Amino acid sequence: MAVCTGCSLLCNDIEVSIDGRRITRTKNLCRKGFGRYRSLTSDRPVPRVDGKQTGIDEAISRAAEMLRNARRPLLFGWSCSTLEAQRKGIELARRTRAIIDDTSSICQGEIVDMIIRRDIPSCTLDDVRNYGDTLIFWGCDPSSSHPRHMSRFSYFPRGEKLQRGHEEDRTAFLIDIRASPTAKILAGNFVQIPPGGDADLIDAMLAVLDGKIPKVRDKKAMISMMNTLKKADMGAIFPGLGLAYSLRGRMDRLKALVDRLNETTRYNVIPMVGHYNMRGFNQLLFDETGFINRVSFADGVDHGPMYSVVEASESCDLAMIVGSDPISSLPAGIAKALARVPLITLDPHRTLTTELSRVVIPTALSGIEAGGSALRMDGVRIEFDPIVKSEYPSDEEVLTRILEEI
Amino acid sequence: MMVTIVTFRDIFQSEAQEVDRFSEEYRRMSAVVFLDKSDAAKAGIKEGSNVLVESDNGRVVVVARISEDAHPGLAFMPNSPWSNRLVPAETDDTRIPSYKSISAKISATDDKVPTVEDLLRGMVS
């Protein structure tokens, strides 16, 4: 059995047949995971320094030299690396007095932060499978983003205490602005809201819980939903990017709702983390510094918005990007700012970021060519071994060597 | 025509992104905007035609697709370097970009859809 690192569900039931170094057959992968496996033979980068192809050793030495000479380096990415590599990354940030940030900075960071600090209760996906009788998918589309979420853990399985499954024992709602593929599955319980309407919806939900009339068009449907939510033995809320962006800076509204529900029943929150080990990086950095992201080691430990990738892209004099493609995923104006500084990139694939990098270090694909461990979206640790031999070093090996050379 | 653009994740585009960001398949899946049927009719935009999308932050040519579901005033784009041409670089105190609420103008055009290489050239110009 292998583990798929295609998303933060870290499915560990993947069957793989191998002929020498070639994967000939896989079983249980979703479409996204299959894409990750297919990428094993697509567009792998070559080691490069200043536009010229070199050996990996030379690229590593050049990266170490550039980091040594940088005054304000930014180390960004991390959510597609193993815990072992992330640990080395944090050590490298300390040693080079760098700013370190990860992709949670531009997505689910606020929610993960609340969970890690225990400001809102969470549980495991296995708890949801066995006991989660009332679910809210909120601003997410698991059918597209985490294709096996609903079948392995949340909606469809017959759990220990939910033998009649979704037909009788489980109810799931979807709150979203778009009639997504998941909305087709949960058609009868799809609550469509306008963009940015999440805070108003929470106010209406709280109003019903307080016995007041909600300020929504379909009062009857809202009251009926809240009656179902109140009856839960164990509820689970799965916030996605839609909710994260809509409530950014106002995440206390989500907490207010969860707290209120928990006065009479039990609700837990598991964010729909995208990358396979974002949760791991957030936990590691928190354990070391008390913060999940946006940390500077320039003078002890400091934390704040000025150390977010968005701001640090403007202020850094060098950026090392690990397993991420910010040139592709940041707004173009911010990506442009990042592109003006020398970039060192570690990645198993050719990306927009590798194309603009002064130093490119090709790495092994974790879960397929490199082993290690990661934290699933619910914080459960999953370990994996490599299943094929690789000519590429792992992130962990590259970072270890950079640390030795600095 | 003015719309609010919301980016989203499409599983087929995610798969293409996993495999190869420089492939024609990835561009075909990414460089699209899903329009409401009545909005498109009003603006004289046909399924499969090229449209210019302009926000305060930038502009990009993509292919128009007409949604089956009605969503007047909204348009959906898969999250990609094409949609990121439109996302404001300015952020509020949270330093989280507004990926899911971009005010933009959409109009028919004969211009070509840029390739990834075209987008990269724009980054370093």
Side-chain angles (χ1 to χ4, degrees), chain A residues 43 56 62 82 86 131 152 185 210 212 270 301 345:
Chain A
D43 227 7
I56 283 200
R62 182 76 181 107
T82 60
Q86 290 169 348
Y131 313 109
R152 279 188 73 211
I185 297 171
D210 291 336
K212 297 178 187 146
I270 304 177
V301 170
T345 301

Side-chain angles (χ1 to χ4, degrees), chain B residues 2-114:
Chain B
M2 292 303 293
V3 291
T4 298
I5 291 181
V6 179
T7 58
F8 73 103
R9 265 84 185 149
D10 169 86
I11 185 166
F12 296 93
Q13 187 244 4
S14 296
E15 182 195 19
Q17 177 174 298
E18 284 285 347
V19 177
D20 183 359
R21 288 166 196 233
F22 294 85
S23 66
E24 187 47 39
E25 186 186 11
Y26 179 58
R27 178 168 74 140
R28 205 166 37 80
M29 303 259 177
S30 302
V32 290
V33 62
F34 290 85
L35 300 173
D36 171 76
K37 197 188 280 185
S38 60
D39 283 351
K42 270 184 231 152
I45 293 166
K46 291 192 175 59
E47 163 82 24
S49 64
N50 286 8
V51 287
L52 174 65
V53 189
E54 298 171 277
S55 74
D56 285 347
N57 195 65
R59 56 210 314 235
V60 68
V61 175
V62 294
V63 174
R65 304 276 304 275
I66 312 299
S67 300
E68 284 175 25
D69 301 290
H71 48 81
L74 289 183
F76 296 103
M77 285 179 86
N79 174 53
S80 80
W82 285 268
S83 64
N84 276 328
R85 287 281 283 259
L86 308 164
V87 181
E90 296 71 37
T91 54
D92 62 12
D93 293 348
T94 63
R95 300 295 181 274
I96 299 171
S98 279
Y99 288 106
K100 286 186 180 274
S101 178
I102 311 155
S103 178
K105 185 175 146 205
I106 297 192
S107 54
T109 184
D110 291 328
D111 290 353
K112 283 202 180 78
V113 174

Side-chain angles (χ1 to χ4, degrees), chain A residues 32 77-78 87 138 165 216 222 237 248 262 312 340 389:
Chain A
K32 215 170 159 178
W78 305 114
R87 240 182 234 110
W138 200 325
V216 287
M222 170 62 75
I237 300 176
R248 65 175 191 264
N262 276 311
R340 80 190 155 80
K389 279 204 166 59

Side-chain angles (χ1 to χ4, degrees), chain A residues 6 31-32 34-36 38-39 42-43 105-106 110 141 143-144 147 177-179 184 195 241-242 245 248-249 294 305 308 310-311 325 327-336 350-352 355-356, chain B residues 4 6 8-12 14-15 17-22 25-26 57 69-70 74 76 79-81 84-85 87-89 91-100 116-117 119-120 122-125:
Chain A
R31 180 168 283 280
K32 215 170 159 178
F34 186 59
R36 171 139 303 204
R38 276 175 61 201
S39 77
S42 72
D43 227 7
S105 183
I106 51 171
E110 286 181 283
D141 174 21
S143 247
S144 305
I177 66 173
R178 187 174 68 96
K184 306 269 191 296
L241 283 179
Y245 291 153
R248 65 175 191 264
R294 303 180 176 183
S308 66
V310 163
E311 262 199 72
D325 188 11
I327 295 295
S328 171
S329 57
L330 288 170
I334 300 168
K336 252 185 177 167
R350 197 162 72 97
T351 66
L352 278 71
E355 289 304 280
L356 299 185
Chain B
T4 298
V6 179
F8 73 103
R9 265 84 185 149
D10 169 86
I11 185 166
F12 296 93
S14 296
E15 182 195 19
Q17 177 174 298
E18 284 285 347
V19 177
D20 183 359
R21 288 166 196 233
F22 294 85
E25 186 186 11
Y26 179 58
N57 195 65
D69 301 290
L74 289 183
F76 296 103
N79 174 53
S80 80
N84 276 328
R85 287 281 283 259
V87 181
T91 54
D92 62 12
D93 293 348
T94 63
R95 300 295 181 274
I96 299 171
S98 279
Y99 288 106
K100 286 186 180 274
V116 169
E117 289 78 7
L119 297 178
L120 274 170
M123 292 282 171
V124 290
S125 62

Side-chain angles (χ1 to χ4, degrees), chain A residues 92-109:
Chain A
L92 182 62
R94 272 188 199 280
R95 288 267 298 277
T96 54
R97 303 173 63 165
I99 294 167
I100 189 163
D101 195 18
D102 82 305
T103 53
S104 70
S105 183
I106 51 171
C107 65
Q108 297 260 32

